[in-house]
Amino acid sequence: MLLQLSAEFEPQSDVVPWLLSQTPAAALDTFEKSSTTLYIVNVERNGKIIYTWKGSGGNTCIGLYDPLNKENEHLYTFEKDLHIISCSINNEKTLLAVSFLQSTKEERVNHLLQPVSKCLTLLIEIHPVNNVRVLKAVDSCIRVQFLYPVADRNPFPDSHLLLISEDKYIEQFHIHVVTEEPHKVVIQNPGQLPRDRVADDLIWAQWDMTEQRLFYIVPKESRNILKCVQFYPDENFNLVLEVPLEISLSDTGLKFVNFGYDYYQDQKMEPRSLNLQVFTSKTGSFCLCSCEAPDVSKDVTYSVSFLHKGYSKSFTVALQRTDYPQVKEVAFLNLDYYVAVYLPGHFLHLLNTQHPDLMCYNLFLTGEDAQINMLHSSSIQSPFKSAVWDCCSGRIFTVRINECSLVKFLWNSKLDSDRLAALHCALLHVRNTADLEMQIIQWISENLSACYTFDPIQEFIIASLYWAMCPETSKLEKLLPYTSLLYWNGIIPGITCITDIISLPVLKVQNCKGFWEKLNLNLECVKYAEPHLHYNNNVLRREWFKLLSEEKAEERGSTTYMKNIFENAKKVLSNLAAWNVEERLVPLFQEEDYQQRLLMGLMVAELKDHLMRHLQYVERKKIDQIVLDYVSKLLDLICRIMEAVWRKYNLQSCILCLGERGSAAEFAAFHIMSRILEAANGMCLPLPPGFHTLHVGVGVRCLPLHTLLHYIDNGLLHLTEACAMKLLKDLDNTEKNEKLKFGIFTRLPEAIGHKVCRLWNHPVTSNFIARNYVKLLLDKLRNKQRNRPVADRLSVHVEFLPLNYLVDMLAAVEEPGLNSVEGADNVNAKFVEEAALKQTTLLLEL
């Protein structure tokens, strides 16, 4: 089971014992028989729960449970058996708003005397109990809801109450109270309560208690309009958003979401024609979820409109089971970064709200993985983020993604889509957990060849960096890459998806803060081509290759530009060293490694430029630290993978004894290192200094000579100066070792060859020195004879074929028509002849 529930409120254990303690002993039996009349009516923003029960004398009582203090409190008692529709209490617990239906018997008795309204809405002073004020007496049902101040503000000086009528309008009452006597609170001017009209002609309404927002839909001629009103602590409210919808709603009556719960009405109600809910998150995501009443004998279709992205996705699921009881509606749960779509007994679908473009970021579960224990009712609300209210039983749960189940699902998954979705889910929800990170690395090491549509090392590194760095600043998530995939064309068995372009919301306020600021940022990214904002490695790759060329290295090696690049690399390594105080098991960071330091410094420079173009309001020092942390964590993740491999195979801290053959464990480590190198090359990511030396060293121990040389020729192994020097020093000149040295030496880059050629007393090194000497002399000769005509060329012919070939080769590098080999008289021909003869003898194995 991927989703785990934890009970926050259980009526039978949190309320019933208290009620029994308040009931006289003679009435206990009667109360126990009627304890099933305990119903939860509402959950307030501070988490307090309002409930009702029937007293022993037929009274209707209202109570309040405080989950923080685990205490119950009796609020009010009606001396009648009432059907309470809605109830709310203000933050100071001085006022109680109640809406109830008067009984049919009472209507018949009073009908001859005076007309009796079906629904009565009261405002009651309860601390202490004083006056009762009638707010509404109408035939349509009324919902009541007090506004609450935001958590970090002082309480309202006044109380503000929303009245939502089935006659399709919403009003706000302003209630000012005064203290007449100690502990006696009285409503000031109860007969003239100021009120505002908030909305008219609506056909659907949803209350967001946490953020104090009202979403509602009004019908228009062409299509319905979704609107949002934001309430503020200073008693003001604004219409902040409008968006046209493609969803058709039947205008049969006002539908309520998160305005408490009416048990009696829910029992009589037929399956709803359309379940519609809005979910928002702190990241600025804004989703509208909708589903027709499901028919378990057919397919189930539901839609999620990602209003912050400008498109909607409609999913159709082919149900496999027909033996499961009929449910009224599909449940939608708000898990902040995910929207959960749950049909008990059939499926659980987690949709990533931040990156909904690729289906492979969605977890679609069936069978045992899709079960949610303790949650079987179809009357489910999600009043808060990561909270579930099972309205029929009255139980309230917090819901979270179970880490153990997620890792188990990752290990057992057979589909790339499931693996990728589980990997991102783990990094998103349980990030910064060292134990989970090591479990993922262990999974990667076991499944390198099992994934076909993505590279697990690339995805782990890029996704880990993204989810770790994005909390740094609000816009950073738009600028950093979150995946190594450019597209994904796979399918998820059992589900089909259709994507449609929809209209973007229009914000009606300026200089908005909090959620609205992030939503506006998301909308701006959609308008101005969001994919182009993400950092990519194309420029970095081109610049790195350019600087690696010999001409560029000589030209810019001492410039200020190059000094800054290597200074960047030095800062990265210092930053990384500050994080890791423990000694590493893998022998890395023990050499300079010019190429990797160059790539490190370039990545810092390129990423810094990218962020500064788009984060103009962030100070430079902050951006510098973000970039250093990003590149440092990148190297740290690679080191963590290496450390996990070394521990898994119980390798020594230094295995570069080149005179011995490697074990099966070392060969496995070599394979993983090769995949790390492949992943880094594909994304142009820097590697820790010393990685290539270690990689070649393990390769020398594990691979046959021809395979080793083949890997070098094809770029799967990169020769380094440290590796070449260790190879020449540690191995003696046996026939087998000489072949190895010769194969390595002839493949060394020229810059490294110059430094290590004198370490090996062998004809090959003499040949190398001779060729360099001849090249140097001929370069000088070419400069002197640049103006000599071609006709003056001196024909030199020696009866020694290798020397003839060498002279011809050297002549070919001269500028056509300008250079002459006349200077061959100045060459030490005897030395060259001996070197060429030795090379010929060696190659012909004579």
Side-chain angles (χ1 to χ4, degrees), residues 8-9 14 43-44 46-49 64-72 396:
E8 292 294 313
F9 175 72
D14 292 327
V43 180
E44 299 290 6
N46 53 17
K48 295 181 180 179
I49 300 163
L64 182 71
Y65 177 75
D66 185 348
L68 184 62
N69 301 318
K70 305 292 184 182
E71 294 178 351
N72 288 278
I396 297 177

Side-chain angles (χ1 to χ4, degrees), residues 42-43 143-145 162 164 170 202-209 213-217 226 249 254-261 272 274-279 288-290 329 332 380-384 389 391:
N42 199 9
V43 180
R143 299 291 196 279
V144 292
Q145 179 60 63
L162 292 180
I164 304 94
I170 299 177
L202 60 154
I203 57 176
W204 173 91
Q206 175 179 322
W207 177 239
D208 184 345
M209 175 61 81
R213 302 184 192 120
L214 173 67
F215 298 96
Y216 63 96
I217 296 176
L226 172 66
L249 286 173
L254 183 59
K255 301 176 179 64
F256 301 103
V257 179
N258 291 346
F259 282 104
Y261 177 67
R272 298 176 185 175
L274 182 65
N275 178 17
L276 190 69
Q277 294 188 51
V278 167
F279 291 138
L288 177 66
C289 307
S290 62
E329 60 187 9
F332 296 109
I380 297 172
Q381 292 188 23
S382 185
F384 309 107
W389 177 8
C391 300

Side-chain angles (χ1 to χ4, degrees), residues 299-512:
D299 297 342
V300 171
T301 299
Y302 51 94
S303 298
V304 179
S305 298
F306 301 98
L307 299 173
H308 59 294
K309 294 288 187 179
Y311 55 80
S312 68
K313 290 182 177 290
S314 297
F315 303 94
T316 301
V317 179
L319 301 182
Q320 303 298 322
R321 296 181 57 181
T322 58
D323 59 333
Y324 207 81
Q326 172 76 31
V327 293
K328 291 184 179 181
E329 60 187 9
V330 170
F332 296 109
L333 308 178
N334 186 2
L335 303 183
D336 201 10
Y337 288 106
Y338 287 90
V339 167
V341 185
Y342 179 53
L343 186 62
H346 296 281
F347 66 86
L348 172 66
H349 189 185
L350 297 184
L351 293 95
N352 190 315
T353 59
Q354 254 186 296
H355 301 292
D357 46 343
L358 299 182
M359 277 283 288
C360 55
Y361 299 130
N362 297 340
L363 276 166
F364 184 77
L365 309 173
T366 57
E368 183 180 349
D369 293 323
Q371 294 180 10
I372 305 179
N373 282 352
M374 303 185 292
L375 192 65
H376 307 289
S377 171
S378 60
S379 298
I380 297 172
Q381 292 188 23
S382 185
F384 309 107
K385 292 180 178 66
S386 302
V388 179
W389 177 8
D390 187 342
C391 300
C392 290
S393 67
R395 294 182 295 178
I396 297 177
F397 306 93
T398 57
V399 56
R400 68 180 184 87
I401 296 176
N402 184 276
E403 179 181 330
C404 295
S405 298
L406 184 60
V407 173
K408 181 180 178 181
F409 180 78
L410 177 65
W411 276 96
N412 296 335
S413 296
K414 304 301 180 184
L415 300 176
D416 277 5
S417 58
D418 290 340
R419 295 167 178 149
L420 193 57
L423 178 63
H424 272 268
C425 186
L427 296 173
L428 172 60
H429 270 274
V430 239
R431 57 179 179 265
N432 296 330
T433 303
D435 181 59
L436 177 69
E437 194 174 67
M438 293 309 298
Q439 292 183 64
I440 294 176
I441 291 174
Q442 184 180 359
W443 172 83
I444 289 174
S445 66
E446 295 286 343
N447 291 271
L448 280 173
S449 302
C451 302
Y452 301 101
T453 59
F454 71 100
D455 185 321
I457 295 177
Q458 284 185 351
E459 200 65 19
F460 170 68
I461 292 174
I462 297 300
S464 294
L465 290 172
Y466 180 82
W467 296 120
M469 301 302 299
C470 281
E472 292 287 343
T473 184
S474 61
K475 198 176 179 181
L476 201 57
E477 62 188 24
K478 306 300 177 187
L479 304 176
L480 297 178
Y482 59 89
T483 178
S484 61
L485 299 177
L486 298 178
Y487 59 88
W488 190 81
N489 293 327
I491 61 173
I492 299 178
I495 183 172
T496 59
C497 175
I498 299 175
T499 303
D500 297 304
I501 303 300
I502 60 176
S503 301
L504 290 175
V506 178
L507 292 179
K508 298 291 186 178
V509 295
Q510 302 293 328
N511 300 322
C512 45

